[in-house]
Amino acid sequence: MRLPRTRPRSLAGQLFAMQVVLIAAVVAGCAVFAYVSGSAQAEETAARQVRVAALAVADSPSVREAIRTPDPSAVLQPYAERVREDTGIAFVTIMDTERVRWTHPDTSQIGDTFLGNTAKALRGQTFTETYTGTLGPSIRVVTPIRDGGRIVGLVSAGITVDRVSSQVREQLGALALAAGGALALGGIGTYVINARLRRHTHGMNAAELSRLHDYHQATLHAVREGLLMLDGRRRIALINDAGRELLGLGPDTDAVGRTVDELALPAPLTGALLASESRVDELHLTADRVIVVNTRPVVGGEQRGTVVTLRDHTELQALTGELDSERGFTQALRSQAHEAANRLHTVVSLIELGRVEEAVDFATAELELAQVLTDRVVGAVEEPVLAALLLGKAAQGHERGVELVLAEDSLIDDGALPPSLAQRDLVTILGNLIDNAVDAASEGPEGAEGPAESGAAVPGPRAAGVPAGRARVTVTALADERELLLRVADTGAGIGPESADEVFRRGWSTHGAGRGLGLALVRQAAHRNGGTVELDAGPDGGARFTVRLPLGDRTAKSEAAGARTKEVTA
């Protein structure tokens, strides 16, 4: 039969047993020390007491006068008994220099020889000794009696060892009561403390707590989501590796113990982390990432802190933007296919009516109009992703009555952009800027925040073939040896100077709630690539956004290639 496995005692139970044993050992040690020191002190006190009594008797003039009489015992015996009773000692023995007793508590012992040492006293010294006499073991003092310069007798005063031991035993009883009280009080205090510890450790033993800690550390490093724990004072109590990465904190940054305000995070994100209520799937932007924040307060009678989880939404947000663009392209192609069918029916109808020349003119005009922008984009922008994006956005703008124009100075050669510049970031930047510009241009200059101040931008030449007053978005895409310039201007109402700083803040929008993320993503993508975003007034009165992205990798590669070429030539 297999016996059930016994669960080890909990950590609180182990500590309780250890503390009780420790307290008992300390109390016992203190008791033994007190007993030993008390015994020594009692003996010292007794010796001092009998010494004082012996010296007082030896110095008494009446004692010296009695010694001169023919019968000293008649006077000295009553005197010695009074001294013994008054001082509480065991005996006071007065004797001659031949050790013959003149006094003794037992009168039958008077006249007998004193039991003890007297040599030192006969030489004039006072000494203390422990000796077994007629009353048993005693602590005694022997001192000489002087009459002038001559020793005429000796005095011995003593107290029995049994009396000293009885005094120590009385003290020991009080000491035992004090030790028992200290042990009981220490045991109760230890029990209360360990009961609290048991609640906090949930009755787990040391091995379970160690294993739980190991699992805890492994989980923190393994989980892909960011985890942040704040204490009741909003200081960071714990943060894992993913949390440091998502919040832009380096691995060497000492974040634990710092408050959230000290992390230099964006204000909306800081507010979400400091909020006392729960936050569910809130979208926030840092300098380089889009993160989803969830918070839950830890409440147990009082708010003890907050648990925060962070999810990286950057890639998903970029994919969502690309999906929106693809959806818009699809709708634009569907509309163009419908219009192409209508135009084809018109051409067929003209031919059926016998108006062949008019059918040819109509078809030729439509083809030329559709091919102008395509030829312009393909000729100036040889980067396939940007060219496809511009053509798709042109089709979308056409559906909304907005003409997309590529500026005459636009030029991006094939291979001009380095591989380090992510195509997804280019789509995010240019796609969001064109979408906002199309929205602004389609609404027209009326009813917005007012045009930019006069003279804020110098008007430029109107694009060829574009009628004055028509909604229009002008795009400039230019790459040189050092930077990529992307500029989008519209013919909308523009953005007032008072909103120039707020326009890049997440949630800012003139189109109601749920909008206002595109420009924030534009600035984030530009910052991620070391670039800048500027806002000013466009030449047609609308807003103009200019993004500059450094192409340092391409320049460095060109210089390195040139250096290698020179070395080979040399």
Side-chain angles (χ1 to χ4, degrees):
M1 180 177 178
R2 185 175 182 180
L3 296 176
R5 185 176 181 181
T6 304
R7 184 175 182 268
R9 187 186 296 271
S10 66
L11 178 63
Q14 294 176 8
L15 290 178
F16 176 72
M18 293 173 60
Q19 288 172 339
V20 168
V21 172
L22 179 61
I23 292 175
V26 171
V27 171
C30 292
V32 171
F33 175 78
Y35 174 74
V36 173
S37 62
S39 299
Q41 186 177 5
E43 293 178 0
E44 182 181 354
T45 302
R48 187 165 52 249
Q49 183 180 3
V50 296
R51 182 184 181 88
V52 171
L55 290 175
V57 171
D59 291 340
S60 175
S62 60
V63 172
R64 288 193 294 269
E65 291 177 2
I67 292 175
R68 297 190 194 106
T69 63
D71 188 9
S73 295
V75 177
L76 294 178
Q77 175 67 16
Y79 174 76
E81 286 300 303
R82 287 197 307 271
V83 172
R84 182 180 66 79
E85 293 175 356
D86 292 342
T87 58
I89 60 180
F91 64 88
V92 176
T93 300
I94 305 175
M95 70 197 82
D96 61 14
T97 55
E98 298 297 327
R99 300 170 59 189
V100 178
R101 299 189 187 98
W102 287 326
T103 64
H104 194 276
D106 183 5
T107 56
S108 63
Q109 300 291 333
I110 297 176
D112 293 339
T113 303
F114 173 75
L115 301 179
N117 300 311
T118 59
K120 292 182 179 180
L122 292 174
R123 293 196 299 268
Q125 300 178 11
T126 299
F127 68 94
T128 302
E129 67 175 353
T130 300
Y131 195 86
T132 302
T134 58
L135 301 178
S138 62
I139 300 172
R140 59 179 63 182
V141 173
V142 181
T143 186
I145 301 173
R146 300 176 185 273
D147 188 1
R150 186 170 58 90
I151 297 175
V152 296
L154 302 174
V155 177
S156 176
I159 185 170
T160 61
V161 174
D162 290 340
R163 182 178 297 184
V164 174
S165 298
S166 65
Q167 294 176 354
V168 173
R169 284 193 294 270
E170 293 176 359
Q171 296 176 358
L172 183 60
L175 178 63
L177 291 176
L183 182 60
L185 183 61
I188 294 173
T190 301
Y191 177 79
V192 172
I193 294 174
N194 282 274
R196 182 180 179 88
L197 178 62
R198 186 179 295 107
R199 288 196 303 270
H200 286 296
T201 58
H202 302 284
M204 291 186 289
N205 56 47
E208 291 172 336
L209 287 174
S210 177
R211 185 165 57 252
L212 182 63
H213 176 268
D214 294 338
Y215 289 156
H216 172 269
Q217 292 297 322
T219 301
L220 284 180
H221 291 287
V223 68
R224 296 293 300 274
E225 290 189 352
L227 181 62
L228 185 69
M229 294 186 183
L230 309 177
D231 60 16
R233 299 175 61 182
R234 297 299 188 272
R235 295 177 302 187
I236 297 178
L238 183 145
I239 183 171
N240 66 347
D241 298 339
R244 289 177 178 272
E245 182 180 356
L246 292 177
L247 295 180
L249 305 177
D252 298 331
T253 303
D254 188 13
V256 176
R258 299 171 60 185
T259 61
V260 176
D261 295 334
E262 299 176 3
L263 300 181
L265 299 175
L269 178 56
T270 301
L273 297 180
L274 295 178
S276 58
E277 69 278 359
S278 299
R279 300 295 180 93
V280 179
D281 289 342
E282 283 194 359
L283 200 65
H284 288 274
L285 274 70
T286 64
D288 300 317
R289 296 180 180 273
V290 180
I291 59 177
V292 177
V293 178
N294 285 274
T295 67
R296 177 177 289 274
V298 180
V299 180
E302 60 181 7
Q303 182 162 344
R304 300 180 180 177
T306 306
V307 177
V308 182
T309 60
L310 309 170
R311 296 200 309 272
D312 191 357
H313 205 262
T314 307
E315 297 294 328
L316 183 58
Q317 189 65 40
L319 291 175
T320 302
E322 293 180 8
L323 180 60
D324 290 339
S325 297
E326 295 295 338
R327 186 181 295 112
F329 297 160
T330 303
Q331 294 175 353
L333 290 175
R334 186 181 297 114
S335 299
Q336 287 186 345
H338 183 70
E339 289 188 5
N342 291 335
R343 295 188 184 103
L344 182 58
H345 291 158
T346 302
V347 173
V348 171
S349 298
L350 289 173
I351 294 175
E352 290 177 349
L353 294 175
R355 300 183 177 183
V356 177
E357 293 183 0
E358 294 180 7
V360 172
D361 293 338
F362 178 79
T364 302
E366 288 296 326
L367 288 174
E368 290 178 353
L369 183 61
Q371 194 65 27
V372 169
L373 181 61
T374 302
D375 294 340
R376 178 74 184 95
V377 169
V378 173
V381 181
E382 297 184 11
E383 188 66 30
V385 174
L386 291 182
L389 179 65
L390 290 172
L391 291 175
K393 293 299 182 182
Q396 287 181 311
H398 180 71
E399 293 299 318
R400 301 181 58 181
V402 177
E403 188 77 16
L404 190 144
V405 179
L406 186 63
E408 294 294 334
D409 56 346
S410 297
L411 180 60
I412 299 179
D413 295 330
D414 188 17
L417 303 182
S420 59
L421 186 58
Q423 295 180 347
R424 181 168 293 173
D425 288 341
L426 294 179
V427 172
T428 297
I429 294 172
L430 193 56
N432 282 289
L433 290 179
I434 294 177
D435 287 342
N436 286 345
V438 170
D439 288 341
S442 62
E443 294 176 357
E446 297 84 4
E449 300 181 29
E453 295 180 359
S454 176
V458 179
R462 194 171 300 275
V466 179
R470 183 172 181 179
R472 182 175 67 259
V473 172
T474 304
V475 178
T476 303
L478 179 62
D480 57 19
E481 289 295 327
R482 297 196 174 275
E483 71 174 9
L484 169 64
L485 183 143
L486 300 175
R487 178 177 291 147
V488 179
D490 59 69
T491 58
I495 298 174
E498 67 279 2
S499 301
D501 294 333
E502 292 292 319
V503 70
F504 295 103
R505 178 178 57 83
R506 177 185 172 272
W508 186 94
S509 177
T510 60
H511 297 86
R515 303 289 296 274
L517 183 61
L519 291 178
L521 293 176
V522 168
R523 183 172 64 175
Q524 186 187 77
H527 178 272
R528 188 161 51 240
N529 291 278
T532 60
V533 183
E534 298 176 358
L535 168 63
D536 60 358
D540 295 320
R544 180 172 63 179
F545 291 88
T546 303
V547 178
R548 300 179 185 274
L549 303 177
L551 303 180
D553 290 347
R554 178 174 179 268
T555 303
K557 291 178 182 179
S558 299
E559 293 176 354
R564 287 194 298 267
T565 302
K566 291 180 180 180
E567 292 176 0
V568 172
T569 305

